[in-house]
Amino acid sequence: SMDQTQSIPDQPSSVPPSQPKRKMTSMIAFFSKVSWKFKFQKQESSKNVFFILAERARDPNAKKRHLAMRGLGTMACEAPDQVRKHKKIMLDLLVHGLYDPVSSEVIHESMKTLTIILGKIQGKRLGSFFVDITLQIRTLLDDENDSMRYLAFVLLGQLAAFAGWKWKKFFARQVKQTRDSLLIHLQDRNPQVATACKTTFRACSPYLKLRNENSFRTEEDQRNPKLSRQLSHYHPELLQFFYANKIL
């Protein structure tokens, strides 16, 4: 600053007083130009980074595929404009990642990134990707890995919210075939998985046709004999759990 300049010893007396102002103005102009250039370069570099990640997502090396999926997740958070621009390419890469034949880490990272992207695009224009994601997620609901199960239930809940008219019948069939997993994991050994399952069960309940307008009127109405038989078939303690937690 000017004060700092004046405090420097042996400052030449021949320097005109107006020069620091001119210097300050030119410095501001310089930094503005650099800032604009940096912003432009950042936008350009994010494009380059996306295509590098896209290439590595198909790499024969599983570790590189895993890191690429993680990179796509970071990009989805920090550069959502790239998600919008390259949505189809990104979804295609992630769906391939979901079906990775070798690495469970690639599958796990693909699921994490998908939860971010589905949240960003609100499920709009998923097209046939909706089918591919649903079919694979169903197979992961009973996975031995707690984190994998958790993400599978989160994704299934998102899909329930985003199922458009085109996929409603398909999704209803898938949910009914997944009913055992939904019911069993309400009491999952991992509390986070159990909570995610409970949230997803509520989102999927219209497709199971278990909820009705009168389900909260009275205890007698709640204890529907047909529903009770259906639930007790899967687990004798589930019926009590449902009513205690007001899931239905």
Side-chain angles (χ1 to χ4, degrees):
S1 67
M2 290 177 65
D3 291 336
Q4 287 175 328
T5 304
Q6 289 168 356
S7 66
I8 297 173
D10 302 321
Q11 181 76 8
S13 58
S14 59
V15 178
S18 61
Q19 191 167 335
K21 273 191 177 181
R22 286 202 301 273
K23 279 187 177 180
M24 186 66 73
T25 305
S26 62
M27 281 173 68
I28 290 169
F30 171 75
F31 282 118
S32 296
K33 188 177 180 180
V34 168
S35 177
W36 179 86
K37 190 176 180 182
F38 176 74
K39 189 176 180 182
F40 176 77
Q41 287 176 339
K42 191 177 178 184
Q43 289 172 346
E44 288 299 307
S45 66
S46 66
K47 289 179 187 176
N48 296 333
V49 168
F50 172 76
F51 288 111
I52 290 168
L53 290 173
E55 186 179 349
R56 288 186 181 171
R58 300 292 188 100
D59 196 278
N61 185 294
K63 185 66 177 175
K64 287 183 180 179
R65 293 200 303 276
H66 174 231
L67 292 173
M69 294 306 174
R70 181 177 293 179
L72 289 172
T74 302
M75 178 166 277
C77 291
E78 297 182 3
D81 57 312
Q82 295 298 314
V83 174
R84 287 190 291 272
K85 285 180 185 176
H86 306 294
K87 184 180 73 174
K88 285 187 177 179
I89 299 173
M90 196 172 277
L91 285 171
D92 186 55
L93 292 169
L94 292 170
V95 168
H96 272 84
L98 276 185
Y99 286 85
D100 196 280
V102 177
S103 173
S104 60
E105 287 184 333
V106 173
I107 295 171
H108 184 264
E109 208 65 51
S110 301
M111 291 170 75
K112 279 172 68 176
T113 301
L114 267 173
T115 62
I116 297 167
I117 289 178
L118 289 183
K120 297 281 184 190
I121 66 175
Q122 290 295 294
K124 290 177 182 175
R125 291 184 291 277
L126 272 176
S128 60
F129 291 125
F130 184 92
V131 173
D132 297 329
I133 296 169
T134 304
L135 291 172
Q136 181 64 344
I137 288 305
R138 272 193 58 205
T139 70
L140 299 169
L141 295 173
D142 300 311
D143 196 272
E144 290 181 2
N145 183 284
D146 290 13
S147 185
M148 202 82 89
R149 290 198 309 282
Y150 172 80
L151 287 170
F153 279 112
V154 170
L155 274 167
L156 188 65
Q158 285 180 307
L159 293 170
F162 301 145
W165 64 269
K166 190 175 181 182
W167 306 115
K168 276 196 183 296
K169 286 185 179 179
F170 160 79
F171 192 70
R173 286 196 304 271
Q174 297 303 310
V175 170
K176 284 171 185 174
Q177 290 173 35
T178 309
R179 184 170 50 190
D180 287 32
S181 295
L182 284 166
L183 293 171
I184 289 167
H185 291 291
L186 285 168
Q187 293 185 321
D188 194 278
R189 64 175 182 266
N190 185 303
Q192 285 186 310
V193 177
T195 301
C197 180
K198 181 177 175 179
T199 303
T200 297
F201 190 94
R202 287 189 175 187
C204 291
S205 62
Y207 298 97
L208 291 167
K209 296 181 179 178
L210 293 177
R211 179 177 290 204
N212 57 69
E213 293 176 1
N214 299 320
S215 61
F216 289 96
R217 278 198 316 181
T218 65
E219 190 171 304
E220 289 73 23
D221 287 332
Q222 275 191 332
R223 298 188 182 281
N224 182 298
K226 185 179 177 182
L227 178 58
S228 298
R229 285 195 302 273
Q230 190 176 25
L231 294 176
S232 60
H233 171 74
Y234 296 100
H235 200 295
E237 296 175 5
L238 277 176
L239 187 60
Q240 185 179 356
F241 176 85
F242 269 49
Y243 294 137
N245 289 275
K246 295 183 179 179
I247 293 175
L248 295 173

